[in-house]
Amino acid sequence: MLTVIYKSPRKEQTYLYLLKRDDFSSVPKALLETFGKPQLVTVLDLTKRSHLAGADLEKVKTMLNEQGFYLQLPPPPEDLLAEHKDWLAKK
């Protein structure tokens, strides 16, 4: 299963996976407007991979088959205050 990966010029660490190069027909218009003009990153064969760096491989495959695209968002920012409160509570 080949997938084409694009990055967002507006949202750091945000990627869009598609089945076909430059075929954005399955992506909602509002999402594309927020994403910005997609910038091609790479083409991957998902069948030859055991994992992906920032996404769950099986979830990516499922979403590509079901909706024709997968949106990878950046990980949530660290909540240092919550971590500090937890640390204090454990002391």
Side-chain angles (χ1 to χ4, degrees), residues 31-47:
L31 173 58
L32 278 178
E33 289 172 2
T34 303
F35 192 83
K37 185 177 180 184
Q39 299 173 342
L40 180 65
V41 174
T42 191
V43 176
L44 292 178
D45 185 352
L46 297 180
T47 57

Side-chain angles (χ1 to χ4, degrees), residues 20-67:
K20 295 180 184 175
R21 186 174 181 164
D22 298 332
D23 181 6
F24 301 97
S25 60
S26 62
V27 182
K29 187 175 181 178
L31 173 58
L32 278 178
E33 289 172 2
T34 303
F35 192 83
K37 185 177 180 184
Q39 299 173 342
L40 180 65
V41 174
T42 191
V43 176
L44 292 178
D45 185 352
L46 297 180
T47 57
K48 294 184 178 182
R49 305 197 57 94
S50 60
H51 69 282
L52 294 170
D56 179 274
L57 180 61
E58 293 308 313
K59 186 174 182 179
V60 171
K61 288 179 182 180
T62 300
M63 297 305 284
L64 284 170
N65 286 323
E66 289 179 4
Q67 67 184 18

